[in-house]
């Protein structure tokens, strides 16, 4: 896709026409990130002018060329939001979820929005183009997205080059990498192994995520998951040990798992293995294939649903997984977070860190700094002095 110059000029001229020619005014406010200007003007124009995928591409290109406003340098230093996990330091718990910067093109630009970590990917071994367009749908009345991108990826080699190009001078934030599998692959485990081989010792990557969405064979699911997952995890952990990769490896799970599947995953994740091999954390959750009450006409599209309608489902999964793993491994919570209260709820449910994606596309670039500020206030209003004190305090209560 090479639509950048056209899109950019279409975008700017759209704005300019709407403002009666004040291009300088537009440019200055775009760049300064005037919050009101974005929320009442830029985001609506963006949504009216572009379909979901083009708007996404435009945002990536703006980030790539460092055209996004700088909220990072204006953010306060919130002492009660700092944490250290594994061997990484986080200024606050809000990160960007996988799927936004799939090809690792725009980490420095995106970090200007204030994220304390950014997850690149999913990246597949070989390049693949994904499903046919349209494949991204905005559900405006639900503040949600349905996507069936089908994992378009530039592939390991191109993503390695992209990361080297963009991060060699300065790596501004913690960077995770979400490893994917090619559609044509026979055994997914080989693709994750290839991912670890390609990126395991990259100085640009701080943690890894692999996906264990459940096999879509109704009826067979419960029996299969455990039999399938155990050798799968063993193989990945052995590869990691063989390659002497000490960075954390997390599993990302679907919100559509059955009770039995959750229990099985929890059991395998906390199981002790020889040589201290273990999974270091969970990302909870991916998008859902379920369709809770939705108001938008696009609700019937096939694909993974994210945003507001996913929020409580994912928060409940965080509670469950925190409880089932006895709080013994860190959880990155994702699903429908759009304000400080949402983030606070997920931390109390058992998440140590938070990721978001969909809300950014609705609320614009000031979102992270707003959430972080709200979260810091909520924590101190309730008499706590650090996020460590609140992680999981709602989990047991809810599960008993
Ligand atoms: C358009 C789109 C593309 C996504 N692509 C990926 C992906 O490639 N890999 C992945 O692990 N998750 C992907 N996700 C899922 C997000 O990382 C996240 O888990 C999910 O959207 C829930 O968070 P949210 O409600 O804040 O968006 C994607 C989500 C969206 C909306
Ligand atoms: C995630 O896992 C599911 C089930 O194994 C698979 O169908 C899907 O392609 C995987 N996604 C990626 C990005 O590898
Ligand atoms: C996430 O969920 C979607 C469906 O909701 C599925 O197609 C995909 O393979 C899952 N995994 C990843 C890594 O996105
Ligand atoms: C989600 O949970 C909150 C409380 O945590 C509740 O107030 C709200 O009604 C729930 N929303 C839905 C759609 O169930
Ligand atoms: C920033 C950057 O170099 N992006 C490149 C990442 O890789 C893809 C595929 O090779 C290129 O099209 C991008 O330009």
């Amino acid at each position: 896709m090479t639509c950048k110059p056209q899109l950019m000029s279409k975008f700017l001229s759209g704005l300019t026409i709407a403002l009666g020619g004040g291009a300088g005014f537009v440019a200055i406010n775009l760049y300064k990130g005037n919050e009101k200007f974005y929320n009442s003007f830029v985001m609506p124009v963006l949504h009216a002018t572009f379909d979901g995928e083009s708007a996404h591409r435009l945002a990536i290109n703006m980030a790539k060329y460092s055209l996004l406003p700088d909220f990072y340098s204006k953010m306060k230093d919130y002492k009660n939001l700092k944490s250290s996990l594994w061997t990484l330091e986080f200024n606050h718990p809000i990160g960007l979820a996988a799927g936004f910067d799939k090809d690792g093109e725009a980490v420095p630009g995106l970090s200007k929005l204030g994220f304390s970590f950014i997850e690149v990917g999913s990246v597949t071994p070989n390049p693949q183009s994904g499903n046919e367009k349209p494949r991204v749908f905005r559900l405006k009345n639900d503040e949600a997205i349905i996507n069936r991108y089908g994992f378009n990826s530039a592939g390991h080699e191109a993503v390695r080059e992209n990361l080297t190009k963009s991060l060699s001078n300065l790596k501004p934030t913690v960077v995770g990498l979400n490893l994917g599998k090619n559609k044509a692959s026979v055994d997914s485990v080989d693709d994750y192994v290839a991912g670890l081989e390609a990126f395991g010792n990259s100085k640009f990557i701080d943690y890894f995520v692999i996906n264990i969405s459940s096999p879509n064979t109704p009826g067979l699911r419960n029996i299969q998951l455990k039999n399938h997952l155990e050798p799968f995890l063993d193989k990945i952990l052995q590869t990691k040990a063989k390659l002497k990769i000490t960075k954390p490896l997390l599993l990302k799970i679907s919100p559509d798992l059955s009770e039995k599947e959750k229990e099985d995953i929890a059991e395998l994740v906390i199981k002790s293995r020889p040589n201290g091999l273990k999974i270091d954390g969970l990302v909870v959750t991916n998008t859902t294939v379920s369709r809770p009450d939705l108001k938008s006409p696009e609700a019937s599209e096939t694909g993974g649903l994210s945003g507001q309608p996913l929020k409580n489902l994912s928060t409940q999964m965080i509670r469950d997984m925190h409880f089932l793993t006895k709080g013994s491994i860190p959880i990155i919570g994702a699903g429908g977070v759009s304000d400080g209260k949402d983030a606070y709820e997920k931390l109390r449910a058992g998440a140590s860190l938070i990721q978001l994606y969909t809300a950014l596309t609705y609320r614009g670039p000031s979102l992270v700094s707003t959430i972080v500020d709200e979260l810091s206030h909520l924590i101190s209003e309730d008499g706590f002095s650090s996020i460590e004190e609140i992680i999981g305090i709602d989990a047991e209560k809810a599960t008993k």
Side-chain angles (χ1 to χ4, degrees), residues 72 75-83 89-94 114-116 172 174 372:
Y72 173 76
M75 271 165 75
K76 283 192 245 161
D77 194 35
Y78 299 94
K79 299 232 156 36
N80 63 355
L81 296 184
K82 291 189 189 308
S83 65
E89 303 290 326
F90 297 87
N91 276 330
H92 61 73
I94 311 296
F115 291 109
S116 68
V174 171
V372 167

Side-chain angles (χ1 to χ4, degrees), residues 30 236 271 344 352:
L30 277 175
I236 289 185
K271 178 186 150 178
Y344 189 51
S352 299

Side-chain angles (χ1 to χ4, degrees), residues 86 192-193 196-197 200-201 206-208 210 232-250 276-281:
W86 308 295
Y192 299 123
V193 166
L196 290 175
E197 284 167 351
N201 295 307
D206 301 300
Y207 72 89
F208 295 93
I210 58 175
F232 173 91
L233 292 183
D234 286 344
K235 173 117 191 241
I236 289 185
L237 287 169
Q238 280 157 17
T239 303
K240 194 178 166 238
K242 196 180 79 198
L243 298 171
K244 299 195 168 59
I245 301 168
T246 53
K247 295 164 193 176
L249 177 76
L250 289 73
L277 295 182
K278 65 172 180 39
I279 295 296
D280 300 287

Side-chain angles (χ1 to χ4, degrees), residues 97-99 102 119 121-122 136 145 147 149 151 178 252 285-287 306-307 310 334-337 355-359:
K102 283 177 185 279
E119 192 170 306
S122 301
V136 187
I145 291 177
N147 92 82
Y149 264 111
F151 304 105
N178 189 302
K252 184 163 181 175
T285 65
N286 185 12
T287 51
S306 58
L310 172 61
V337 171
Q355 289 177 331
L356 60 85
Y357 181 154
T358 302

Side-chain angles (χ1 to χ4, degrees), residues 87-160:
T87 54
L88 303 170
E89 303 290 326
F90 297 87
N91 276 330
H92 61 73
I94 311 296
L96 179 62
F100 197 86
D101 189 4
K102 283 177 185 279
D103 296 337
E105 303 177 84
V107 171
L110 290 168
S111 80
K112 283 172 47 181
L113 303 184
F115 291 109
S116 68
F117 64 111
I118 290 176
E119 192 170 306
V120 167
S122 301
V123 49
T124 58
N126 297 314
Q128 66 178 30
S129 54
N131 294 327
E132 269 171 36
K133 294 177 196 173
R135 49 193 182 174
V136 187
F137 305 88
R138 277 189 212 110
L139 282 66
K140 242 187 273 171
N141 304 331
D142 303 291
E143 228 182 294
I145 291 177
I146 290 177
N147 92 82
R148 49 166 184 270
Y149 264 111
F151 304 105
N152 51 316
S153 170
H156 286 168
E157 214 175 295
V159 171
R160 261 163 66 109

